[in-house]
Amino acid sequence: MKKSILLLTFLIAAIAGEAKDLKAVVLTTTPQMHCESCENRIKNNMRFERGVKKIETNIAEQTVTITYDAEKTSVEKILDGFKKFKYTARPLKKGEKIKRNENEECPLM
């Protein structure tokens, strides 16, 4: 019985510790994403930023959606993270669509 109560207490504490303030931001980047290498560059660099939990990219829509722990980072710090690998990023306004720049060449090809 004592073991069951101890196990239950541990599980409740673990679940409470997992309850984080997760938020998401949708960004677009410069240079734009052209290929899988562009996506991988963003994902591989941004995954090391403190508080980043999930990164989703969409070449067709030119978006990067980052889910982050708001207790550990902010949108401003995420934007600064892009600068570390010579990209810039900005949050999209609700409903904003980005046109792909056909004149821009992929920096990774």
Side-chain angles (χ1 to χ4, degrees):
M1 183 69 158
K2 240 181 182 179
K3 287 183 182 181
S4 297
I5 293 173
L6 184 60
L7 181 60
L8 182 60
T9 304
F10 177 75
L11 287 173
I12 291 171
I15 292 170
E18 293 290 319
K20 299 186 186 264
D21 185 15
L22 295 182
K23 294 186 178 185
V25 62
V26 181
L27 310 164
T28 190
T29 65
T30 302
Q32 289 186 333
M33 293 180 288
H34 299 90
C35 62
E36 188 176 326
S37 293
C38 296
E39 287 180 305
N40 289 335
R41 183 173 189 187
I42 290 168
K43 288 178 180 179
N44 289 337
N45 282 282
M46 291 307 294
R47 70 186 172 129
F48 293 109
E49 290 299 313
R50 185 170 190 247
V52 170
K53 299 298 180 190
K54 185 177 178 183
I55 305 164
E56 296 176 10
T57 54
N58 186 317
I59 292 175
E61 294 182 11
Q62 290 297 309
T63 60
V64 178
T65 303
I66 297 181
T67 303
Y68 63 97
D69 183 344
E71 294 175 4
K72 293 184 179 179
T73 193
S74 65
V75 173
E76 292 76 22
K77 289 179 183 176
I78 290 170
L79 297 177
D80 286 342
F82 279 89
K83 294 176 186 175
K84 294 177 184 175
F85 57 100
K86 298 183 179 156
Y87 271 60
T88 58
R90 68 171 179 84
L92 291 177
K93 296 176 181 131
K94 191 171 184 167
E96 181 181 3
K97 302 290 182 195
I98 302 298
K99 290 184 181 178
R100 191 166 178 181
N101 184 350
E102 299 297 332
N103 296 322
E104 184 178 272
E105 291 186 25
C106 179
L108 302 176
M109 294 181 125

